């Protein structure tokens, strides 16, 4: 308690314990108080002057820093109220002081652990991206190697030279395309890490299928799979990050073909489809699907399908599907799968239609 001049008239044992001074060292003292840190004296004097001029202190109290007798500082919450006598006159001020060091410490620990968590999450993302990069680059590199080997074989055969030169030209063009594709994968994944808005462009679904077709065909021939494409007529353009979506199609097609790579699977068919999906007033969607007649997905596998690094393949990385889902969801779309009877699996995902077209459609 303080009188109207700010002099201490009473201190309780709890306060004495908190600041480490005896009651005698405090009672009767005026500013600067012994528990004020010297560096704060000016500020606290000003605060006291404002208070003594009759300004009402904030009801919720205010935070400050006090100093123990041993010189250590600690944070406090001070709640003050006028001290009123039985005659109804103000005789001074009454202050309740709460040591909030523990509260502060907990806040600090929680903030630090929050920061650590975020740092860990960022690291995990970087690690995941690094793995993704090697995963996604394997494809164009494998294609480049196989076109290069094919060309070497062709050149070793001196007969049928004009035909050979045409084939070698084609293979070199494909190599250039794949090298370009690898470059775009790196840029795209790089953007992904930085969470920059991806380059979205309006593309006809056919263009996406055409872009992945050579690579899909390459693997299809190796695994003796027949690939069919079905695209609904007059589909609107979709808004997408071309390279990332091509990667999704490639991953799904590759998974489908690998699922059919079983001795008992003789009629190996992979169907790539694009059609209109259920749309609402805000947004129209195109649904892409990849259907295989492979081994299917058991419940045990299904529950971990999208977990990064989950794979049932000896050479698998288990990143394909988690990447697919992230990419599709970053486009606002949805990726799902369904086990087919008697066998096979279909993966479907949606991509948003270019807005202007969607509005046209609604108007029509
Ligand atoms: P990876 O292909 O490297 O194993 P993915 O994330 O692409 O990684 O797939 C994870 C697992 O999901 C595969 O190992 C496989 O067991 C299963 N899977 C994915 N697609 C299919 C499919 N079309 N049919 C059957 N199983 C599939």
């Amino acid at each position: 308690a303080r009188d109207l001049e700010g002099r201490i008239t009473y201190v309780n044992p709890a306060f004495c314990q908190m600041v480490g001074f005896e009651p005698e060292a405090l009672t009767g003292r005026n500013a600067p108080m012994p528990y004020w840190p010297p560096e704060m004296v000016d500020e606290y004097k000003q605060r006291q002057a404002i208070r003594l001029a009759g300004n009402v202190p904030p009801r919720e109290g205010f935070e400050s820093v006090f100093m123990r007798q041993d010189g250590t500082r600690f944070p406090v919450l001070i709640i003050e109220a006028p001290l009123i006598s039985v005659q109804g006159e103000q005789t001074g001020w009454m202050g309740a002081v709460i040591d909030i060091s523990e509260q502060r410490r907990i806040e600090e620990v929680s903030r630090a652990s929050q920061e650590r968590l975020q740092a860990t999450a960022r690291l995990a993302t970087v690690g995941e991206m690094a793995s993704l990069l090697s995963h996604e680059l394997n494809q164009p590199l494998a294609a480049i190697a196989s076109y290069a080997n094919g060309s070497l074989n062709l050149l070793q055969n001196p007969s049928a030279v004009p035909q050979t030169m045409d084939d070698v030209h084609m293979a070199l063009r494909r190599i250039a395309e794949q090298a370009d594709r690898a470059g775009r994968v790196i840029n795209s994944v790089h953007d992904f890490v930085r969470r920059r808005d991806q380059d979205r462009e309006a593309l006809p679904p056919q263009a996406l299928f055409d872009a992945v077709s050579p690579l899909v065909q390459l693997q299809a021939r190796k695994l003796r799979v027949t690939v069919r494409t079905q695209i609904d007529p007059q589909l609107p353009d979709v808004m997408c990050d071309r390279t990332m979506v091509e990667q999704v199609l490639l991953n799904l097609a590759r998974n489908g073909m690998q699922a059919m790579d079983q001795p008992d699977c003789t009629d190996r068919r992979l169907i790539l489809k694009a059609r209109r999906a259920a749309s609402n007033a805000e947004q129209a969607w195109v649904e892409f699907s990849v259907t295989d007649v492979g081994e299917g997905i058991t419940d045990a596998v299904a529950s971990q399908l999208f977990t990064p690094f989950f794979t049932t393949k000896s050479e698998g990385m288990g990143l394909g599907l988690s990447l697919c889902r992230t990419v599709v969801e970053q486009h606002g779309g949805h990726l799902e799968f369904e086990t087919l009877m008697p066998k096979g699996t279909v993966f479907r995902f949606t991509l948003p239609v270019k807005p202007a077209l969607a509005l046209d459609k609604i108007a029509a």
Side-chain angles (χ1 to χ4, degrees), residues 118 121-122 125-126 189-198 330:
Q118 274 170 10
R122 270 196 299 274
T125 316
V126 171
V189 176
H190 187 69
D191 283 357
F192 209 64
V193 175
R194 292 180 159 203
R195 297 207 176 79
R196 279 217 315 255
D197 264 354
Q198 275 103 68
Q330 288 223 331

Side-chain angles (χ1 to χ4, degrees), residues 136-166:
E136 304 310 340
L137 288 177
N138 264 339
Q139 276 185 356
L141 288 179
I144 287 172
S146 116
Y147 285 125
N149 280 332
S151 308
L152 284 174
N153 287 340
L154 284 171
L155 292 173
Q156 268 157 16
N157 180 2
S159 58
V161 169
Q163 171 64 24
T164 301
M165 287 324 281
D166 279 354

